[in-house]
Amino acid sequence: MTTAFKILLVFIAYAILSPLGKRLISSVMTKTSKKQRLSEARAKTLEKLLKNIYGYVLIFILVITILGIFNIPVTPMLAGAGVIGLAVGFGAQGLVSDVVTGFFILLEKQIEVDDYVTMSGLSGIVEEVGLRTTQMRGFDGTLHYIPNRNISNVSNHSRGNMQALVDIGISYNENIDEALRVLQNVCDQFADKDDRVKEGPDVVGVQSFGSSDVVIRIIAQTENMEQWAVERDLRKEIKQGLENAGIEIPYPHQVYISKSEQG
């Protein structure tokens, strides 16, 4: 059997084992998550991590096998790699820090796939948590690769209910008590027909005085990641309710004064 044919067989085996192993990991994780009652986010996180580790191991075996085909002694190379790795390790403390931090992030379940988080000055949805880097998709579509050692503070917005907040302005000429009553009535009707709302919405009261309006604040507790949609729908209902009650929502006015010369 020629060397070229052996190498071809190795690559064919790699091409078969790589997707086969990943499908097997997916299947095992599906069964394990049901048996252990893991959350969907936790299952996705562990599944992607196991696939990454499997890929690294498979590539390592591929390289060792090819070296064996060329009759290159592997044991001395591994021993030499160990010595070199020790030397390089002193200069690769950042990599070690990435791995250690990533391990504790996974162990403590600080973040999981599909979580909405803020970390390293960035906000977005977690797509992958690895031992070296964490991938997060920003709301503008940008995919951020964050080294784990740079993750010092994590704010996870996906644990528990979230708050929807709506500020609405009414004219200074309107009756405040009547406006509060109308707004609370709109909120009660909204809560009755929207399952995303877990608590409220409640009219807190007058929040501030603007240049042309009195600002009233409304808050509600919603299902996770539904707060923005609830805010949008609530604003629509509030506008309709205020219009039906004849309560004015002010808007900026501009007055132009022209000076005419008198002869």
Side-chain angles (χ1 to χ4, degrees):
M1 187 180 296
T2 63
T3 301
F5 186 69
K6 290 180 180 179
I7 294 176
L8 179 61
L9 288 178
V10 171
F11 278 102
I12 291 175
Y14 174 81
I16 294 174
L17 291 175
S18 180
L20 186 63
K22 291 179 179 179
R23 283 198 294 269
L24 179 61
I25 290 173
S26 297
S27 177
V28 170
M29 283 304 305
T30 300
K31 294 179 181 178
T32 302
S33 62
K34 291 181 180 179
K35 185 177 180 181
Q36 300 294 331
R37 296 181 179 179
L38 298 176
S39 65
E40 183 180 354
R42 184 66 176 171
K44 283 184 180 180
T45 302
L46 294 176
E47 180 181 335
K48 290 194 175 185
L49 178 63
L50 289 174
K51 285 181 178 180
N52 285 337
I53 295 175
Y54 174 74
Y56 293 143
V57 171
L58 208 59
I59 291 175
F60 177 77
I61 295 174
L62 173 67
V63 173
I64 295 299
T65 305
I66 292 177
L67 292 177
I69 292 175
F70 286 101
N71 295 320
I72 299 175
V74 178
T75 304
M77 291 186 62
L78 291 177
V83 175
I84 296 173
L86 182 62
V88 172
F90 290 104
Q93 296 180 7
L95 178 61
V96 175
S97 178
D98 285 337
V99 174
V100 172
T101 305
F103 172 78
F104 281 105
I105 287 175
L106 291 168
L107 180 66
E108 298 173 358
K109 301 180 183 179
Q110 297 177 16
I111 57 176
E112 294 176 342
V113 173
D114 292 336
D115 280 356
Y116 163 40
V117 301
T118 298
M119 56 186 179
S120 301
L122 300 169
S123 296
I125 307 298
V126 177
E127 290 199 351
E128 185 173 320
V129 181
L131 285 176
R132 193 179 67 84
T133 61
T134 295
Q135 298 180 28
M136 181 177 67
R137 179 78 62 178
F139 293 112
D140 62 351
T142 304
L143 182 61
H144 303 284
Y145 293 85
I146 305 174
N148 290 333
R149 65 179 180 274
N150 292 339
I151 303 175
S152 56
N153 295 305
V154 178
S155 299
N156 194 322
H157 309 289
S158 296
R159 304 292 167 87
N161 295 332
M162 297 297 291
Q163 178 178 274
L165 186 150
V166 174
D167 285 339
I168 187 73
I170 64 170
S171 172
Y172 278 99
N173 297 324
E174 302 295 341
N175 185 299
I176 297 295
D177 291 332
E178 175 65 14
L180 294 176
R181 187 192 64 77
V182 170
L183 289 174
Q184 188 60 59
N185 185 50
V186 171
C187 290
D188 293 341
Q189 294 178 5
F190 185 85
D192 290 339
K193 65 180 181 180
D194 199 315
D195 295 334
R196 298 170 299 177
V197 178
K198 297 303 178 183
E199 184 179 336
D202 295 312
V203 180
V204 178
V206 176
Q207 175 66 19
S208 63
F209 297 104
S211 59
S212 60
D213 60 353
V214 178
V215 179
I216 299 174
R217 173 158 293 182
I218 299 167
I219 60 173
Q221 297 295 320
T222 72
E223 289 182 356
N224 192 267
M225 300 299 293
E226 295 290 342
Q227 62 270 27
W228 300 298
V230 169
E231 288 176 355
R232 290 191 294 268
D233 293 340
L234 187 55
R235 289 189 186 98
K236 177 182 176 182
E237 295 294 328
I238 288 173
K239 181 179 184 299
Q240 188 64 46
L242 291 177
E243 287 180 351
N244 293 340
I247 298 176
E248 179 186 358
I249 300 176
Y251 56 90
H253 293 75
Q254 291 182 340
V255 178
Y256 295 93
I257 301 176
S258 60
K259 183 178 181 181
S260 58
E261 294 184 359
Q262 296 180 357

